[in-house]
Amino acid sequence: MNGNTELKIFNTLTRRLEPFIPIEPGKVGIYLCGPTVYKPSHVGHMVGPVIFDSIKRYLKYLGFQVTFIVNITDIDDKLIKEAPLQNLTVASLAEKITQDYWENLKKLQVTQIDQFPKATHHIQQIIEMIQGLIDRGYAYPMNGDVYFDISKDSDYGKLCNRDPEQLEAGARIEVNAKKKNPGDFALWKSAKPGEPSWTSPWGEGRPGWHIECSAMSRTLLGDTIDIHGGGLDLQFPHHENELAQSESFTQKPFARYWMHNGLMKTGNKKMSKSEGNEIVVTELLKRHHPETLRFLLLNTHYRSPIEYSEDRLRELRRALDSYYRFFDRYQRICKESFYHLEGSQTKQDSIIQSSKNSLNRTLEKGTEKIDPTNPVESFLQEIQLCYQQFTACLNEDFNTGGAIGILFDLSSILNRFADQQGLETHPDKIEKPVMEAFKQGTLLFRELSQILGLFIEPVSSANTENTTLLDGLIQLALDLRQEARKNKNFAQADQIRKRLTELGVVLEDRAGGTDWRIN
RNA sequence: GGCCGCGUCGCCAAGUGGUAAGGCCACGGUUUGCAAAACCGUUAUUCCCCGGUUCGAAUCCGGGCGCGGCCUCCA
């Protein structure tokens, strides 16, 4: 698999675009920081999972074998504080919020995560790591707590370009008397009475924030992971500290590529629990289809802030509708569902590469020999160009926004071809190569959209959700209108359509009859 | 104060050295009995401002203005 050599990733560590080369050829380990499960997910929590879900889909497409881990931090001060407010134990609060998180991911078609390790299931590994850090002189116990000593880590601050001296100078945090340096951070925290705790060499207690990620990533992905991801807000202190612990412990590089996604914002403010302006995912999904949210998250490049607004979602839904209408059209023309098409799962098997179809036979002729006056040949050539542009976008630091732009181009090309060839207006006169080309173009659309995790399942339209009574009533109105049209009583026909439009029922007349949909 | 990033059409948004993708909105046209949908076309000689480098810059460098993030919990 050589396709991978073209892939470039922006690495936070070096602040540069770098060619992607995994440690072990053909294999990729990804660790993405997941949520602390104390409050229901807000939209921002979905950004990383959706983006990395698409990233994994693309890496698989390129032929990599990918392991993708997202942790669940289920023990933390915030849980301890929140649980009693809800009359729950820490464990049951964690369970409840984790379920909420998982349900949301599922709705957003985030299906590529292999494991969700939980901090409380890795206490042993955490303790071992802390002990190792103490043994090596990087950490010190203090009255039941254990702290990481940043002064012992010569390159502390390298991820975020921070100077430990200045961290001290500018520390606004109240100085914890137990720490040697203000920048030191807790690896282990002693338990107060009544708090959940585990037995350790330093007494009853719980892991500090950061160490769970170091321990779990090492357990599941080894000392060095290929890609470590997370939100921009985790860069410091979370990732800086993770990196410091892990490298001090293993004496090996912790992650080859650090990828940080931009934060969700509304207006000019970032969205977060502390700002109090977060949109809870389950609430949002009552108003919008999950695919619209996924589409929103992929439309902006992952490193940029994502503009969130209700208007924006409605706007994007209108854009998605044009795709959905194309899928309906495909069904009318080819008598099969777009959603049943099996797009190639890897670049190797791509419809573009396969030698068993007319598309490829045409493309093999080479650009010069393609007859521009032959509509099928020029159509196939346009399709191929889309393919090249699409992969070029994703190769350039996973430019999903650019890739979606190409998907729009592709659907225009397909619609235009269907128009020009009269695929719907005179289906009897269509020659086989024309139909075959149309199908292959659509199959390519399927192949590419699957990489983004888009259009995996049909969007349940209002039509199918409604009762047979509603269907019947609308059909009745349509029959009456058809009758009027037949009699050239257009005034009455238009009156019926107008009344339906006012009710939100949009009609589309075509050769085979009248379709309707609810707006 | 330190570190990081951003400023591209009315709105959203790609592009980051070779002469401005795409979406939404708007306006024309083809099609339609009329619509809807689809398609075609129009809409930034110009990318916050000022300098510089270059044959050539939205893209690189310097300065300015504006906005945001991190430095404390945060995806």
mmCIF file of all heavy atoms in Angstrom, chain A residues 344 347-367 369-370 376-377 379-381 383-384 387-388 433 436-441 443-444 447:
data_model
loop_
_atom_site.group_PDB
_atom_site.id
_atom_site.type_symbol
_atom_site.label_atom_id
_atom_site.label_comp_id
_atom_site.label_asym_id
_atom_site.label_seq_id
_atom_site.Cartn_x
_atom_site.Cartn_y
_atom_site.Cartn_z
ATOM 1 N N SER A 344 -16.877 0.748 -2.893
ATOM 2 C CA SER A 344 -15.626 0.072 -2.537
ATOM 3 C C SER A 344 -15.122 0.592 -1.198
ATOM 4 O O SER A 344 -15.214 1.778 -0.912
ATOM 5 C CB SER A 344 -14.569 0.328 -3.596
ATOM 6 O OG SER A 344 -15.122 0.120 -4.867
ATOM 7 N N LYS A 347 -9.126 1.967 -1.404
ATOM 8 C CA LYS A 347 -8.625 2.602 -2.608
ATOM 9 C C LYS A 347 -8.270 1.554 -3.669
ATOM 10 O O LYS A 347 -8.489 1.753 -4.859
ATOM 11 C CB LYS A 347 -7.383 3.408 -2.229
ATOM 12 C CG LYS A 347 -6.879 4.322 -3.305
ATOM 13 C CD LYS A 347 -5.754 5.196 -2.786
ATOM 14 C CE LYS A 347 -5.265 6.113 -3.895
ATOM 15 N NZ LYS A 347 -4.254 7.053 -3.422
ATOM 16 N N GLN A 348 -7.736 0.454 -3.151
ATOM 17 C CA GLN A 348 -7.318 -0.617 -4.038
ATOM 18 C C GLN A 348 -8.464 -1.154 -4.899
ATOM 19 O O GLN A 348 -8.289 -1.451 -6.073
ATOM 20 C CB GLN A 348 -6.784 -1.762 -3.185
ATOM 21 C CG GLN A 348 -5.573 -2.413 -3.753
ATOM 22 C CD GLN A 348 -4.936 -3.341 -2.731
ATOM 23 O OE1 GLN A 348 -5.491 -3.578 -1.650
ATOM 24 N NE2 GLN A 348 -3.785 -3.866 -3.064
ATOM 25 N N ASP A 349 -9.635 -1.271 -4.252
ATOM 26 C CA ASP A 349 -10.794 -1.820 -4.976
ATOM 27 C C ASP A 349 -11.645 -0.740 -5.603
ATOM 28 O O ASP A 349 -12.749 -1.009 -6.058
ATOM 29 C CB ASP A 349 -11.704 -2.581 -4.005
ATOM 30 C CG ASP A 349 -10.945 -3.593 -3.197
ATOM 31 O OD1 ASP A 349 -9.992 -4.136 -3.751
ATOM 32 O OD2 ASP A 349 -11.308 -3.807 -2.019
ATOM 33 N N SER A 350 -11.170 0.483 -5.575
ATOM 34 C CA SER A 350 -12.018 1.584 -6.033
ATOM 35 C C SER A 350 -12.576 1.334 -7.419
ATOM 36 O O SER A 350 -11.923 0.742 -8.285
ATOM 37 C CB SER A 350 -11.212 2.877 -6.051
ATOM 38 O OG SER A 350 -11.967 3.889 -6.667
ATOM 39 N N ILE A 351 -13.767 1.803 -7.617
ATOM 40 C CA ILE A 351 -14.404 1.729 -8.928
ATOM 41 C C ILE A 351 -13.520 2.399 -9.975
ATOM 42 O O ILE A 351 -13.498 2.039 -11.146
ATOM 43 C CB ILE A 351 -15.804 2.392 -8.853
ATOM 44 C CG1 ILE A 351 -16.515 2.384 -10.198
ATOM 45 C CG2 ILE A 351 -15.729 3.827 -8.363
ATOM 46 C CD1 ILE A 351 -17.336 1.192 -10.429
ATOM 47 N N ILE A 352 -12.746 3.367 -9.498
ATOM 48 C CA ILE A 352 -11.834 4.069 -10.399
ATOM 49 C C ILE A 352 -10.674 3.168 -10.829
ATOM 50 O O ILE A 352 -10.146 3.278 -11.930
ATOM 51 C CB ILE A 352 -11.257 5.327 -9.691
ATOM 52 C CG1 ILE A 352 -12.350 6.383 -9.512
ATOM 53 C CG2 ILE A 352 -10.087 5.917 -10.437
ATOM 54 C CD1 ILE A 352 -12.761 7.098 -10.770
ATOM 55 N N GLN A 353 -10.276 2.264 -9.949
ATOM 56 C CA GLN A 353 -9.121 1.408 -10.242
ATOM 57 C C GLN A 353 -9.502 0.114 -10.970
ATOM 58 O O GLN A 353 -8.738 -0.433 -11.729
ATOM 59 C CB GLN A 353 -8.416 0.994 -8.937
ATOM 60 C CG GLN A 353 -8.239 2.098 -7.929
ATOM 61 C CD GLN A 353 -7.018 2.944 -8.203
ATOM 62 O OE1 GLN A 353 -6.165 2.551 -8.968
ATOM 63 N NE2 GLN A 353 -6.962 4.116 -7.599
ATOM 64 N N SER A 354 -10.697 -0.358 -10.646
ATOM 65 C CA SER A 354 -11.099 -1.662 -11.163
ATOM 66 C C SER A 354 -11.039 -1.697 -12.680
ATOM 67 O O SER A 354 -11.399 -0.739 -13.354
ATOM 68 C CB SER A 354 -12.517 -1.969 -10.696
ATOM 69 O OG SER A 354 -13.042 -3.020 -11.459
ATOM 70 N N SER A 355 -10.592 -2.817 -13.194
ATOM 71 C CA SER A 355 -10.418 -2.893 -14.649
ATOM 72 C C SER A 355 -11.618 -3.549 -15.318
ATOM 73 O O SER A 355 -11.631 -3.765 -16.514
ATOM 74 C CB SER A 355 -9.162 -3.688 -14.958
ATOM 75 O OG SER A 355 -9.269 -4.966 -14.370
ATOM 76 N N LYS A 356 -12.620 -3.849 -14.526
ATOM 77 C CA LYS A 356 -13.730 -4.620 -15.100
ATOM 78 C C LYS A 356 -14.928 -3.774 -15.502
ATOM 79 O O LYS A 356 -16.038 -4.253 -15.565
ATOM 80 C CB LYS A 356 -14.189 -5.663 -14.072
ATOM 81 C CG LYS A 356 -13.140 -6.727 -13.816
ATOM 82 C CD LYS A 356 -13.742 -7.904 -13.089
ATOM 83 C CE LYS A 356 -12.682 -8.943 -12.773
ATOM 84 N NZ LYS A 356 -12.330 -8.981 -11.359
ATOM 85 N N ASN A 357 -14.714 -2.511 -15.719
ATOM 86 C CA ASN A 357 -15.863 -1.698 -16.105
ATOM 87 C C ASN A 357 -15.494 -0.711 -17.194
ATOM 88 O O ASN A 357 -14.325 -0.429 -17.446
ATOM 89 C CB ASN A 357 -16.439 -0.989 -14.883
ATOM 90 C CG ASN A 357 -15.391 -0.114 -14.216
ATOM 91 O OD1 ASN A 357 -14.842 0.783 -14.843
ATOM 92 N ND2 ASN A 357 -15.101 -0.391 -12.961
ATOM 93 N N SER A 358 -16.515 -0.163 -17.792
ATOM 94 C CA SER A 358 -16.296 0.735 -18.926
ATOM 95 C C SER A 358 -15.595 2.011 -18.477
ATOM 96 O O SER A 358 -14.846 2.608 -19.226
ATOM 97 C CB SER A 358 -17.631 1.097 -19.557
ATOM 98 O OG SER A 358 -18.408 1.851 -18.656
ATOM 99 N N LEU A 359 -15.869 2.370 -17.239
ATOM 100 C CA LEU A 359 -15.257 3.578 -16.719
ATOM 101 C C LEU A 359 -13.744 3.474 -16.851
ATOM 102 O O LEU A 359 -13.074 4.327 -17.406
ATOM 103 C CB LEU A 359 -15.664 3.725 -15.248
ATOM 104 C CG LEU A 359 -15.353 5.027 -14.519
ATOM 105 C CD1 LEU A 359 -16.299 5.169 -13.329
ATOM 106 C CD2 LEU A 359 -13.942 5.080 -14.026
ATOM 107 N N ASN A 360 -13.240 2.375 -16.328
ATOM 108 C CA ASN A 360 -11.800 2.216 -16.347
ATOM 109 C C ASN A 360 -11.259 2.003 -17.743
ATOM 110 O O ASN A 360 -10.213 2.523 -18.101
ATOM 111 C CB ASN A 360 -11.408 1.058 -15.439
ATOM 112 C CG ASN A 360 -9.949 1.141 -15.089
ATOM 113 O OD1 ASN A 360 -9.152 0.440 -15.663
ATOM 114 N ND2 ASN A 360 -9.592 2.064 -14.204
ATOM 115 N N ARG A 361 -11.997 1.253 -18.535
ATOM 116 C CA ARG A 361 -11.527 1.021 -19.912
ATOM 117 C C ARG A 361 -11.383 2.349 -20.645
ATOM 118 O O ARG A 361 -10.448 2.569 -21.399
ATOM 119 C CB ARG A 361 -12.493 0.090 -20.654
ATOM 120 C CG ARG A 361 -12.290 -1.383 -20.299
ATOM 121 C CD ARG A 361 -12.947 -2.282 -21.329
ATOM 122 N NE ARG A 361 -14.378 -2.078 -21.426
ATOM 123 C CZ ARG A 361 -15.278 -2.630 -20.615
ATOM 124 N NH1 ARG A 361 -14.883 -3.429 -19.639
ATOM 125 N NH2 ARG A 361 -16.566 -2.418 -20.777
ATOM 126 N N THR A 362 -12.314 3.245 -20.366
ATOM 127 C CA THR A 362 -12.244 4.553 -21.003
ATOM 128 C C THR A 362 -11.052 5.349 -20.479
ATOM 129 O O THR A 362 -10.291 5.929 -21.240
ATOM 130 C CB THR A 362 -13.534 5.347 -20.712
ATOM 131 O OG1 THR A 362 -14.625 4.586 -21.200
ATOM 132 C CG2 THR A 362 -13.504 6.693 -21.401
ATOM 133 N N LEU A 363 -10.914 5.320 -19.160
ATOM 134 C CA LEU A 363 -9.853 6.135 -18.563
ATOM 135 C C LEU A 363 -8.473 5.641 -18.941
ATOM 136 O O LEU A 363 -7.531 6.424 -19.034
ATOM 137 C CB LEU A 363 -10.013 6.149 -17.034
ATOM 138 C CG LEU A 363 -11.332 6.764 -16.552
ATOM 139 C CD1 LEU A 363 -11.463 6.622 -15.051
ATOM 140 C CD2 LEU A 363 -11.435 8.220 -16.959
ATOM 141 N N GLU A 364 -8.383 4.352 -19.184
ATOM 142 C CA GLU A 364 -7.084 3.785 -19.550
ATOM 143 C C GLU A 364 -6.583 4.295 -20.898
ATOM 144 O O GLU A 364 -5.398 4.233 -21.189
ATOM 145 C CB GLU A 364 -7.156 2.251 -19.574
ATOM 146 C CG GLU A 364 -6.847 1.644 -18.221
ATOM 147 C CD GLU A 364 -7.083 0.141 -18.201
ATOM 148 O OE1 GLU A 364 -7.527 -0.407 -19.223
ATOM 149 O OE2 GLU A 364 -6.823 -0.457 -17.153
ATOM 150 N N LYS A 365 -7.503 4.806 -21.666
ATOM 151 C CA LYS A 365 -7.099 5.333 -22.973
ATOM 152 C C LYS A 365 -6.182 6.544 -22.827
ATOM 153 O O LYS A 365 -5.465 6.901 -23.740
ATOM 154 C CB LYS A 365 -8.344 5.748 -23.774
ATOM 155 C CG LYS A 365 -9.158 4.566 -24.269
ATOM 156 C CD LYS A 365 -10.567 4.963 -24.625
ATOM 157 C CE LYS A 365 -10.644 5.695 -25.935
ATOM 158 N NZ LYS A 365 -12.072 5.924 -26.316
ATOM 159 N N GLY A 366 -6.272 7.185 -21.679
ATOM 160 C CA GLY A 366 -5.452 8.371 -21.461
ATOM 161 C C GLY A 366 -6.201 9.624 -21.887
ATOM 162 O O GLY A 366 -7.061 9.572 -22.776
ATOM 163 N N THR A 367 -5.852 10.707 -21.269
ATOM 164 C CA THR A 367 -6.578 11.963 -21.470
ATOM 165 C C THR A 367 -6.660 12.384 -22.936
ATOM 166 O O THR A 367 -7.699 12.805 -23.421
ATOM 167 C CB THR A 367 -5.870 13.084 -20.684
ATOM 168 O OG1 THR A 367 -5.680 12.638 -19.357
ATOM 169 C CG2 THR A 367 -6.711 14.347 -20.672
ATOM 170 N N LYS A 369 -6.647 10.713 -25.627
ATOM 171 C CA LYS A 369 -7.452 9.911 -26.559
ATOM 172 C C LYS A 369 -8.945 9.938 -26.253
ATOM 173 O O LYS A 369 -9.752 9.406 -27.010
ATOM 174 C CB LYS A 369 -6.955 8.453 -26.539
ATOM 175 C CG LYS A 369 -5.587 8.311 -27.187
ATOM 176 C CD LYS A 369 -5.187 6.861 -27.302
ATOM 177 C CE LYS A 369 -3.766 6.764 -27.861
ATOM 178 N NZ LYS A 369 -3.138 5.476 -27.550
ATOM 179 N N ILE A 370 -9.286 10.550 -25.138
ATOM 180 C CA ILE A 370 -10.705 10.610 -24.812
ATOM 181 C C ILE A 370 -11.394 11.601 -25.730
ATOM 182 O O ILE A 370 -10.911 12.714 -25.972
ATOM 183 C CB ILE A 370 -10.897 10.980 -23.319
ATOM 184 C CG1 ILE A 370 -10.539 9.749 -22.480
ATOM 185 C CG2 ILE A 370 -12.316 11.433 -23.052
ATOM 186 C CD1 ILE A 370 -10.643 9.954 -20.998
ATOM 187 N N VAL A 376 -20.435 10.240 -22.945
ATOM 188 C CA VAL A 376 -20.116 9.241 -21.930
ATOM 189 C C VAL A 376 -18.649 9.345 -21.540
ATOM 190 O O VAL A 376 -18.301 9.351 -20.363
ATOM 191 C CB VAL A 376 -20.448 7.822 -22.428
ATOM 192 C CG1 VAL A 376 -19.925 6.780 -21.449
ATOM 193 C CG2 VAL A 376 -21.955 7.664 -22.601
ATOM 194 N N GLU A 377 -17.804 9.478 -22.523
ATOM 195 C CA GLU A 377 -16.372 9.555 -22.213
ATOM 196 C C GLU A 377 -16.023 10.810 -21.433
ATOM 197 O O GLU A 377 -15.256 10.766 -20.472
ATOM 198 C CB GLU A 377 -15.541 9.466 -23.504
ATOM 199 C CG GLU A 377 -15.615 8.085 -24.126
ATOM 200 C CD GLU A 377 -14.528 7.826 -25.153
ATOM 201 O OE1 GLU A 377 -13.650 8.693 -25.347
ATOM 202 O OE2 GLU A 377 -14.553 6.740 -25.769
ATOM 203 N N PHE A 379 -17.996 12.485 -19.571
ATOM 204 C CA PHE A 379 -18.601 12.320 -18.249
ATOM 205 C C PHE A 379 -17.674 11.493 -17.347
ATOM 206 O O PHE A 379 -17.376 11.879 -16.214
ATOM 207 C CB PHE A 379 -19.959 11.618 -18.396
ATOM 208 C CG PHE A 379 -20.550 11.100 -17.104
ATOM 209 C CD1 PHE A 379 -21.131 11.963 -16.183
ATOM 210 C CD2 PHE A 379 -20.539 9.736 -16.820
ATOM 211 C CE1 PHE A 379 -21.685 11.483 -14.999
ATOM 212 C CE2 PHE A 379 -21.084 9.243 -15.639
ATOM 213 C CZ PHE A 379 -21.660 10.119 -14.722
ATOM 214 N N LEU A 380 -17.186 10.393 -17.860
ATOM 215 C CA LEU A 380 -16.303 9.534 -17.068
ATOM 216 C C LEU A 380 -15.027 10.256 -16.677
ATOM 217 O O LEU A 380 -14.494 10.070 -15.583
ATOM 218 C CB LEU A 380 -15.987 8.252 -17.838
ATOM 219 C CG LEU A 380 -17.184 7.313 -18.050
ATOM 220 C CD1 LEU A 380 -16.797 6.130 -18.918
ATOM 221 C CD2 LEU A 380 -17.764 6.837 -16.723
ATOM 222 N N GLN A 381 -14.591 11.102 -17.566
ATOM 223 C CA GLN A 381 -13.378 11.855 -17.255
ATOM 224 C C GLN A 381 -13.612 12.856 -16.124
ATOM 225 O O GLN A 381 -12.762 13.034 -15.251
ATOM 226 C CB GLN A 381 -12.900 12.578 -18.511
ATOM 227 C CG GLN A 381 -11.453 12.992 -18.404
ATOM 228 C CD GLN A 381 -10.947 13.618 -19.688
ATOM 229 O OE1 GLN A 381 -11.748 14.040 -20.519
ATOM 230 N NE2 GLN A 381 -9.653 13.690 -19.839
ATOM 231 N N ILE A 383 -15.764 12.509 -13.792
ATOM 232 C CA ILE A 383 -15.896 11.703 -12.579
ATOM 233 C C ILE A 383 -14.513 11.396 -11.993
ATOM 234 O O ILE A 383 -14.278 11.490 -10.795
ATOM 235 C CB ILE A 383 -16.596 10.358 -12.928
ATOM 236 C CG1 ILE A 383 -18.016 10.599 -13.416
ATOM 237 C CG2 ILE A 383 -16.577 9.400 -11.743
ATOM 238 C CD1 ILE A 383 -18.918 11.167 -12.386
ATOM 239 N N GLN A 384 -13.625 11.029 -12.876
ATOM 240 C CA GLN A 384 -12.283 10.690 -12.424
ATOM 241 C C GLN A 384 -11.586 11.891 -11.777
ATOM 242 O O GLN A 384 -10.908 11.766 -10.771
ATOM 243 C CB GLN A 384 -11.441 10.186 -13.602
ATOM 244 C CG GLN A 384 -10.069 9.699 -13.154
ATOM 245 C CD GLN A 384 -9.108 9.507 -14.313
ATOM 246 O OE1 GLN A 384 -9.157 10.233 -15.290
ATOM 247 N NE2 GLN A 384 -8.250 8.515 -14.197
ATOM 248 N N TYR A 387 -12.663 12.308 -8.316
ATOM 249 C CA TYR A 387 -11.996 11.340 -7.444
ATOM 250 C C TYR A 387 -10.612 11.832 -7.038
ATOM 251 O O TYR A 387 -10.235 11.806 -5.864
ATOM 252 C CB TYR A 387 -11.883 9.997 -8.175
ATOM 253 C CG TYR A 387 -11.084 8.970 -7.414
ATOM 254 C CD1 TYR A 387 -11.674 8.227 -6.400
ATOM 255 C CD2 TYR A 387 -9.735 8.754 -7.698
ATOM 256 C CE1 TYR A 387 -10.943 7.299 -5.677
ATOM 257 C CE2 TYR A 387 -8.998 7.830 -6.990
ATOM 258 C CZ TYR A 387 -9.600 7.105 -5.984
ATOM 259 O OH TYR A 387 -8.879 6.191 -5.266
ATOM 260 N N GLN A 388 -9.884 12.313 -8.009
ATOM 261 C CA GLN A 388 -8.529 12.789 -7.718
ATOM 262 C C GLN A 388 -8.541 13.980 -6.772
ATOM 263 O O GLN A 388 -7.734 14.071 -5.852
ATOM 264 C CB GLN A 388 -7.815 13.164 -9.025
ATOM 265 C CG GLN A 388 -7.420 11.939 -9.825
ATOM 266 C CD GLN A 388 -7.103 12.258 -11.273
ATOM 267 O OE1 GLN A 388 -7.372 13.368 -11.737
ATOM 268 N NE2 GLN A 388 -6.557 11.295 -11.995
ATOM 269 N N PRO A 433 -24.346 1.684 -22.384
ATOM 270 C CA PRO A 433 -23.153 2.363 -21.838
ATOM 271 C C PRO A 433 -23.514 3.614 -21.055
ATOM 272 O O PRO A 433 -22.836 3.973 -20.089
ATOM 273 C CB PRO A 433 -22.354 2.737 -23.086
ATOM 274 C CG PRO A 433 -22.857 1.856 -24.153
ATOM 275 C CD PRO A 433 -24.282 1.560 -23.851
ATOM 276 N N GLU A 436 -24.798 2.489 -17.732
ATOM 277 C CA GLU A 436 -23.680 1.930 -16.966
ATOM 278 C C GLU A 436 -22.806 3.050 -16.393
ATOM 279 O O GLU A 436 -22.408 3.023 -15.235
ATOM 280 C CB GLU A 436 -22.838 1.030 -17.874
ATOM 281 C CG GLU A 436 -21.962 0.077 -17.101
ATOM 282 C CD GLU A 436 -21.026 -0.727 -18.015
ATOM 283 O OE1 GLU A 436 -21.247 -0.747 -19.250
ATOM 284 O OE2 GLU A 436 -20.063 -1.291 -17.484
ATOM 285 N N ALA A 437 -22.561 4.051 -17.216
ATOM 286 C CA ALA A 437 -21.738 5.176 -16.761
ATOM 287 C C ALA A 437 -22.416 5.895 -15.597
ATOM 288 O O ALA A 437 -21.777 6.243 -14.603
ATOM 289 C CB ALA A 437 -21.504 6.150 -17.910
ATOM 290 N N PHE A 438 -23.708 6.081 -15.730
ATOM 291 C CA PHE A 438 -24.448 6.766 -14.667
ATOM 292 C C PHE A 438 -24.346 5.981 -13.349
ATOM 293 O O PHE A 438 -24.125 6.542 -12.277
ATOM 294 C CB PHE A 438 -25.916 6.933 -15.068
ATOM 295 C CG PHE A 438 -26.743 7.638 -14.036
ATOM 296 C CD1 PHE A 438 -26.530 8.982 -13.752
ATOM 297 C CD2 PHE A 438 -27.734 6.965 -13.328
ATOM 298 C CE1 PHE A 438 -27.290 9.636 -12.781
ATOM 299 C CE2 PHE A 438 -28.503 7.615 -12.363
ATOM 300 C CZ PHE A 438 -28.272 8.953 -12.094
ATOM 301 N N LYS A 439 -24.504 4.686 -13.464
ATOM 302 C CA LYS A 439 -24.414 3.849 -12.265
ATOM 303 C C LYS A 439 -23.024 3.892 -11.658
ATOM 304 O O LYS A 439 -22.865 3.954 -10.436
ATOM 305 C CB LYS A 439 -24.776 2.395 -12.596
ATOM 306 C CG LYS A 439 -26.263 2.167 -12.736
ATOM 307 C CD LYS A 439 -26.596 0.696 -12.900
ATOM 308 C CE LYS A 439 -28.099 0.519 -13.029
ATOM 309 N NZ LYS A 439 -28.507 -0.879 -13.177
ATOM 310 N N GLN A 440 -22.023 3.876 -12.504
ATOM 311 C CA GLN A 440 -20.662 3.906 -11.971
ATOM 312 C C GLN A 440 -20.338 5.237 -11.309
ATOM 313 O O GLN A 440 -19.670 5.286 -10.282
ATOM 314 C CB GLN A 440 -19.661 3.600 -13.085
ATOM 315 C CG GLN A 440 -19.619 2.110 -13.373
ATOM 316 C CD GLN A 440 -18.951 1.785 -14.677
ATOM 317 O OE1 GLN A 440 -18.481 2.678 -15.383
ATOM 318 N NE2 GLN A 440 -18.923 0.520 -15.009
ATOM 319 N N GLY A 441 -20.848 6.295 -11.897
ATOM 320 C CA GLY A 441 -20.648 7.605 -11.283
ATOM 321 C C GLY A 441 -21.296 7.667 -9.913
ATOM 322 O O GLY A 441 -20.727 8.191 -8.951
ATOM 323 N N LEU A 443 -21.974 5.109 -8.040
ATOM 324 C CA LEU A 443 -21.226 4.198 -7.172
ATOM 325 C C LEU A 443 -19.981 4.893 -6.612
ATOM 326 O O LEU A 443 -19.613 4.706 -5.453
ATOM 327 C CB LEU A 443 -20.822 2.961 -7.978
ATOM 328 C CG LEU A 443 -20.520 1.681 -7.213
ATOM 329 C CD1 LEU A 443 -21.664 1.302 -6.298
ATOM 330 C CD2 LEU A 443 -20.232 0.553 -8.188
ATOM 331 N N LEU A 444 -19.363 5.711 -7.436
ATOM 332 C CA LEU A 444 -18.208 6.457 -6.940
ATOM 333 C C LEU A 444 -18.642 7.450 -5.857
ATOM 334 O O LEU A 444 -17.983 7.595 -4.838
ATOM 335 C CB LEU A 444 -17.518 7.218 -8.078
ATOM 336 C CG LEU A 444 -16.310 8.040 -7.594
ATOM 337 C CD1 LEU A 444 -15.194 7.128 -7.110
ATOM 338 C CD2 LEU A 444 -15.803 8.980 -8.674
ATOM 339 N N GLU A 447 -18.957 5.521 -2.786
ATOM 340 C CA GLU A 447 -17.629 5.184 -2.261
ATOM 341 C C GLU A 447 -17.022 6.361 -1.503
ATOM 342 O O GLU A 447 -16.519 6.211 -0.385
ATOM 343 C CB GLU A 447 -16.723 4.789 -3.436
ATOM 344 C CG GLU A 447 -15.296 4.442 -3.061
ATOM 345 C CD GLU A 447 -14.469 4.037 -4.298
ATOM 346 O OE1 GLU A 447 -15.033 3.392 -5.209
ATOM 347 O OE2 GLU A 447 -13.286 4.380 -4.357
#
